[in-house]
Protein backbone atom coordinates (compact mmCIF):
# COMPACT_ATOMS: atom_id res chain seq x y z
CA UNK A 1 0.00 0.00 0.00
CA UNK A 2 1.18 3.52 -0.73
CA UNK A 3 -0.01 6.70 0.87
CA UNK A 4 -1.28 9.60 -1.18
CA UNK A 5 0.93 12.46 -0.03
CA UNK A 6 2.86 15.38 -1.51
CA UNK A 7 5.74 12.93 -2.01
CA UNK A 8 4.07 11.74 -5.22
CA UNK A 9 6.07 13.47 -7.95
CA UNK A 10 4.23 15.80 -10.32
CA UNK A 11 4.45 14.53 -13.86
CA UNK A 12 3.42 16.22 -17.09
CA UNK A 13 0.19 14.91 -18.60
CA UNK A 14 0.76 12.17 -21.19
CA UNK A 15 -0.56 12.76 -24.71
CA UNK A 16 -3.09 9.98 -24.41
CA UNK A 17 -5.01 9.33 -21.28
CA UNK A 18 -6.86 6.19 -20.31
CA UNK A 19 -9.85 7.09 -18.15
CA UNK A 20 -9.76 5.93 -14.56
CA UNK A 21 -12.41 4.10 -12.57
CA UNK A 22 -11.47 5.22 -9.09
CA UNK A 23 -12.88 3.15 -6.26
CA UNK A 24 -13.13 5.29 -3.11
CA UNK A 25 -13.80 3.05 -0.15
CA UNK A 26 -13.41 3.40 3.60
CA UNK A 27 -15.34 3.47 6.86
CA UNK A 28 -18.57 5.44 7.27
CA UNK A 29 -18.16 9.21 7.66
CA UNK A 30 -14.54 9.22 6.47
CA UNK A 31 -15.53 11.78 3.83
CA UNK A 32 -15.94 9.63 0.70
CA UNK A 33 -19.07 11.29 -0.69
CA UNK A 34 -17.73 14.76 0.05
CA UNK A 35 -14.52 13.98 -1.82
CA UNK A 36 -16.32 12.40 -4.78
CA UNK A 37 -18.63 15.39 -5.09
CA UNK A 38 -15.73 17.82 -4.98
CA UNK A 39 -13.81 15.97 -7.69
CA UNK A 40 -16.22 15.11 -10.46
CA UNK A 41 -19.57 15.99 -11.95
CA UNK A 42 -22.34 14.05 -10.14
CA UNK A 43 -23.07 12.14 -13.35
CA UNK A 44 -19.57 10.63 -13.14
CA UNK A 45 -20.01 9.37 -9.57
CA UNK A 46 -21.40 5.85 -9.16
CA UNK A 47 -23.34 4.98 -6.00
CA UNK A 48 -24.81 1.51 -5.86
CA UNK A 49 -28.00 2.54 -4.03
CA UNK A 50 -28.88 5.04 -6.76
CA UNK A 51 -29.24 2.16 -9.24
CA UNK A 52 -31.47 -0.22 -7.29
CA UNK A 53 -35.20 -0.08 -6.61
CA UNK A 54 -36.79 1.34 -3.48
CA UNK A 55 -38.10 -2.14 -2.76
CA UNK A 56 -34.58 -3.61 -2.75
CA UNK A 57 -33.30 -0.74 -0.61
CA UNK A 58 -36.08 -1.15 1.92
CA UNK A 59 -35.48 -4.92 2.07
CA UNK A 60 -31.79 -4.34 2.79
CA UNK A 61 -32.21 -1.39 5.13
CA UNK A 62 -29.47 -0.87 7.71
CA UNK A 63 -30.67 -0.81 11.32
CA UNK A 64 -29.00 -1.18 14.70
CA UNK A 65 -29.51 -4.96 14.53
CA UNK A 66 -29.15 -5.74 10.83
CA UNK A 67 -26.72 -4.34 8.32
CA UNK A 68 -28.39 -4.51 4.93
CA UNK A 69 -26.45 -5.84 1.96
CA UNK A 70 -27.60 -6.00 -1.65
CA UNK A 71 -27.54 -9.47 -3.27
CA UNK A 72 -24.51 -10.26 -5.50
CA UNK A 73 -26.69 -10.91 -8.59
CA UNK A 74 -28.29 -7.49 -8.26
CA UNK A 75 -24.88 -5.85 -7.75
CA UNK A 76 -23.57 -7.59 -10.88
CA UNK A 77 -26.59 -6.46 -12.91
CA UNK A 78 -26.16 -2.84 -11.82
CA UNK A 79 -22.39 -2.75 -12.44
CA UNK A 80 -22.75 -4.34 -15.84
CA UNK A 81 -25.50 -1.95 -16.87
CA UNK A 82 -23.60 1.10 -15.60
CA UNK A 83 -20.29 0.25 -17.25
CA UNK A 84 -21.89 -0.59 -20.60
CA UNK A 85 -24.05 2.55 -20.72
CA UNK A 86 -23.26 5.55 -22.93
CA UNK A 87 -22.48 7.59 -19.80
CA UNK A 88 -19.43 5.43 -19.14
CA UNK A 89 -18.03 5.10 -22.65
CA UNK A 90 -14.26 5.43 -22.07
CA UNK A 91 -14.13 8.73 -23.99
CA UNK A 92 -16.50 10.24 -21.41
CA UNK A 93 -13.67 10.42 -18.86
CA UNK A 94 -12.99 9.30 -15.31
CA UNK A 95 -15.58 7.69 -13.06
CA UNK A 96 -15.59 7.63 -9.25
CA UNK A 97 -17.18 4.80 -7.29
CA UNK A 98 -18.34 6.25 -3.99
CA UNK A 99 -18.19 3.60 -1.24
CA UNK A 100 -17.67 0.61 -3.50
CA UNK A 101 -16.49 -2.15 -3.29
CA UNK A 102 -17.49 -3.09 0.23
CA UNK A 103 -16.06 -6.63 0.38
CA UNK A 104 -13.25 -8.68 -1.13
CA UNK A 105 -15.84 -10.65 -3.13
CA UNK A 106 -17.18 -7.43 -4.60
CA UNK A 107 -13.65 -6.50 -5.70
CA UNK A 108 -13.36 -9.75 -7.69
CA UNK A 109 -16.88 -9.37 -9.04
CA UNK A 110 -16.34 -5.77 -10.13
CA UNK A 111 -12.94 -6.38 -11.74
CA UNK A 112 -14.21 -9.32 -13.77
CA UNK A 113 -17.11 -7.14 -15.00
CA UNK A 114 -14.65 -4.34 -15.86
CA UNK A 115 -12.42 -6.74 -17.82
CA UNK A 116 -15.37 -7.83 -19.90
CA UNK A 117 -17.54 -4.72 -20.14
CA UNK A 118 -15.16 -1.76 -19.78
CA UNK A 119 -11.57 -2.84 -20.51
CA UNK A 120 -10.67 0.73 -21.58
CA UNK A 121 -10.61 1.86 -17.95
CA UNK A 122 -7.70 1.60 -15.57
CA UNK A 123 -8.79 0.87 -12.03
CA UNK A 124 -7.41 2.99 -9.18
CA UNK A 125 -8.36 1.84 -5.66
CA UNK A 126 -8.19 4.51 -2.95
CA UNK A 127 -8.92 3.85 0.71
CA UNK A 128 -9.96 6.89 2.71
CA UNK A 129 -9.58 6.01 6.37
CA UNK A 130 -9.56 7.86 9.69
CA UNK A 131 -9.48 7.13 13.40
CA UNK A 132 -12.77 6.18 15.00
CA UNK A 133 -12.83 9.46 16.95
CA UNK A 134 -12.82 11.40 13.65
CA UNK A 135 -15.56 9.19 12.19
CA UNK A 136 -17.75 9.59 15.26
CA UNK A 137 -17.46 13.35 15.38
CA UNK A 138 -18.09 13.72 11.65
CA UNK A 139 -21.13 11.45 11.78
CA UNK A 140 -22.46 13.44 14.74
CA UNK A 141 -22.34 16.62 12.65
CA UNK A 142 -23.61 15.12 9.37
CA UNK A 143 -27.05 16.31 8.28
CA UNK A 144 -29.06 15.29 5.22
CA UNK A 145 -31.77 17.04 3.23
CA UNK A 146 -34.76 15.01 2.00
CA UNK A 147 -35.81 17.79 -0.39
CA UNK A 148 -32.43 18.14 -2.10
CA UNK A 149 -31.76 14.40 -2.30
CA UNK A 150 -34.56 12.28 -3.64
CA UNK A 151 -33.89 8.69 -2.52
CA UNK A 152 -35.79 5.60 -3.65
CA UNK A 153 -36.20 4.46 -0.04
CA UNK A 154 -36.75 7.95 1.39
CA UNK A 155 -33.42 7.78 3.21
CA UNK A 156 -31.14 10.60 2.03
CA UNK A 157 -27.44 9.91 2.61
CA UNK A 158 -25.34 12.72 1.21
CA UNK A 159 -24.10 15.48 3.51
CA UNK A 160 -26.25 18.56 3.02
CA UNK A 161 -25.03 22.14 2.98
CA UNK A 162 -25.74 23.66 6.38
CA UNK A 163 -27.17 27.20 6.35
CA UNK A 164 -24.80 29.67 8.01
CA UNK A 165 -27.59 31.67 9.61
CA UNK A 166 -29.48 28.63 10.90
CA UNK A 167 -27.64 25.31 11.24
CA UNK A 168 -30.87 23.34 11.44
CA UNK A 169 -31.73 24.32 7.85
CA UNK A 170 -30.40 23.37 4.45
CA UNK A 171 -28.06 25.96 2.94
CA UNK A 172 -29.37 25.15 -0.55
CA UNK A 173 -33.17 24.93 -0.18
CA UNK A 174 -33.92 26.10 3.37
CA UNK A 175 -35.68 22.87 4.43
CA UNK A 176 -35.21 21.44 7.92
CA UNK A 177 -32.26 19.04 7.95
CA UNK A 178 -32.24 15.59 9.54
CA UNK A 179 -29.68 13.17 10.92
CA UNK A 180 -29.11 9.93 9.06
CA UNK A 181 -30.69 7.08 11.05
CA UNK A 182 -27.57 5.02 10.25
CA UNK A 183 -25.46 7.64 12.06
CA UNK A 184 -27.20 6.75 15.32
CA UNK A 185 -24.25 5.72 17.57
CA UNK A 186 -25.08 2.01 17.92
CA UNK A 187 -25.71 1.54 14.20
CA UNK A 188 -22.65 3.59 13.35
CA UNK A 189 -20.49 1.44 15.63
CA UNK A 190 -21.76 -1.68 13.82
CA UNK A 191 -21.05 -0.15 10.44
CA UNK A 192 -17.52 0.88 11.43
CA UNK A 193 -16.86 -2.63 12.75
CA UNK A 194 -18.20 -4.19 9.56
CA UNK A 195 -15.86 -2.01 7.55
CA UNK A 196 -12.84 -2.85 9.72
CA UNK A 197 -13.59 -6.56 9.32
CA UNK A 198 -13.89 -6.29 5.53
CA UNK A 199 -11.03 -3.89 4.78
CA UNK A 200 -8.14 -6.39 4.78
CA UNK A 201 -10.03 -8.66 2.36
CA UNK A 202 -10.69 -5.69 0.06
CA UNK A 203 -6.99 -4.79 -0.03
CA UNK A 204 -5.94 -8.42 -0.56
CA UNK A 205 -8.45 -8.83 -3.39
CA UNK A 206 -7.09 -5.76 -5.22
CA UNK A 207 -3.54 -7.02 -4.66
CA UNK A 208 -4.56 -10.39 -6.20
CA UNK A 209 -5.30 -8.42 -9.37
CA UNK A 210 -1.99 -6.58 -9.21
CA UNK A 211 -3.63 -3.33 -8.10
CA UNK A 212 -2.00 -1.49 -5.20
CA UNK A 213 -4.38 0.33 -2.91
CA UNK A 214 -3.59 3.99 -2.29
CA UNK A 215 -4.37 5.23 1.18
CA UNK A 216 -5.56 8.74 1.85
CA UNK A 217 -5.60 10.16 5.37
CA UNK A 218 -9.29 10.88 6.06
CA UNK A 219 -8.52 13.29 8.88
CA UNK A 220 -7.16 15.89 6.45
CA UNK A 221 -9.39 18.76 5.39
CA UNK A 222 -11.48 18.68 2.22
CA UNK A 223 -9.17 20.92 0.17
CA UNK A 224 -6.20 18.65 0.96
CA UNK A 225 -8.20 15.57 0.00
CA UNK A 226 -9.12 17.09 -3.29
CA UNK A 227 -5.58 18.30 -4.04
CA UNK A 228 -3.98 14.97 -3.15
CA UNK A 229 -6.38 12.85 -5.15
CA UNK A 230 -6.05 15.15 -8.16
CA UNK A 231 -2.29 14.77 -7.87
CA UNK A 232 -2.54 11.00 -7.68
CA UNK A 233 -4.73 10.82 -10.76
CA UNK A 234 -2.44 13.11 -12.74
CA UNK A 235 0.56 11.07 -11.70
CA UNK A 236 -1.09 7.78 -12.59
CA UNK A 237 -2.43 8.87 -15.93
CA UNK A 238 0.19 7.12 -17.96
CA UNK A 239 -0.37 3.87 -16.06
N1 LIG B 1 -12.14 16.27 4.98
C1 LIG B 1 -13.16 16.55 5.79
N2 LIG B 1 -12.96 17.33 6.86
C2 LIG B 1 -13.98 17.62 7.72
N3 LIG B 1 -15.23 17.19 7.57
C3 LIG B 1 -15.49 16.40 6.51
C4 LIG B 1 -14.48 16.04 5.56
N4 LIG B 1 -15.03 15.24 4.62
C5 LIG B 1 -16.33 15.11 4.97
N5 LIG B 1 -16.62 15.83 6.08
C6 LIG B 1 -17.90 15.89 6.76
O1 LIG B 1 -18.02 14.63 7.45
C7 LIG B 1 -19.32 14.07 7.28
C8 LIG B 1 -19.21 12.73 6.59
O2 LIG B 1 -18.78 12.93 5.26
P1 LIG B 1 -19.30 12.00 4.08
O3 LIG B 1 -18.68 12.52 2.83
O4 LIG B 1 -20.80 11.91 4.13
O5 LIG B 1 -18.64 10.60 4.52
P2 LIG B 1 -18.81 9.14 3.88
O6 LIG B 1 -19.30 9.33 2.48
O7 LIG B 1 -17.43 8.57 3.95
O8 LIG B 1 -19.77 8.42 4.78
C9 LIG B 1 -20.14 15.09 6.50
O9 LIG B 1 -20.91 15.85 7.39
C10 LIG B 1 -19.08 15.95 5.80
O10 LIG B 1 -19.53 17.28 5.61
Amino acid sequence: MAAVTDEIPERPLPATKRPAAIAVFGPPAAGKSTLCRALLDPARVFRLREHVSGQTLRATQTTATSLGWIEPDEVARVLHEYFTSDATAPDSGDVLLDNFPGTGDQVHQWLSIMAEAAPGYRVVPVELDAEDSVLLSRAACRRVCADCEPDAAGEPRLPAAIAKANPSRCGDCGSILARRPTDEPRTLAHRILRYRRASAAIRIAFADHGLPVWTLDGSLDQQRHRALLTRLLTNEQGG
Side-chain angles (χ1 to χ4, degrees), residues 62-121:
T62 297
T63 66
T65 49
S66 98
L67 296 172
W69 215 243
I70 296 166
E71 290 295 323
D73 285 354
E74 176 67 352
V75 175
R77 180 194 69 74
V78 166
L79 288 172
H80 197 273
E81 201 172 282
Y82 183 75
F83 281 101
T84 52
S85 74
D86 289 348
T88 48
D91 59 2
S92 317
D94 297 341
V95 173
L96 280 159
L97 289 88
D98 178 359
N99 201 23
F100 189 89
T103 63
D105 286 347
Q106 285 185 344
V107 173
H108 294 300
Q109 181 186 37
W110 176 47
L111 294 179
S112 79
I113 290 170
M114 291 304 281
E116 184 211 319
Y121 280 92

Side-chain angles (χ1 to χ4, degrees), residues 27-34 98 138 141-142 159 218 220-222 225:
K32 303 178 293 295
S33 296
T34 304
D98 178 359
R138 287 200 185 150
C141 298
R142 173 161 52 189
L220 299 173
D221 68 36
Q222 295 173 21
H225 279 167

Side-chain angles (χ1 to χ4, degrees), residues 148-225:
C148 289
E149 188 193 337
D151 180 81
E155 247 195 59
R157 302 278 166 134
L158 301 176
I162 294 178
K164 284 203 178 74
N166 181 352
S168 63
R169 290 197 176 266
C170 175
D172 290 329
C173 76
S175 296
I176 297 280
L177 297 172
R179 289 196 65 174
R180 271 173 62 161
T182 51
D183 281 344
E184 180 273 318
R186 226 176 110 214
T187 309
L188 181 68
H190 273 82
R191 293 168 62 222
I192 293 174
L193 195 61
R194 171 173 68 178
Y195 178 75
R196 300 261 177 251
R197 285 184 175 143
S199 63
I202 294 174
R203 280 183 242 115
I204 290 168
F206 276 121
D208 284 349
H209 292 265
L211 293 168
V213 171
W214 291 91
T215 58
L216 182 55
D217 178 357
S219 63
L220 299 173
D221 68 36
Q222 295 173 21
Q223 286 74 18
R224 289 281 293 144
H225 279 167

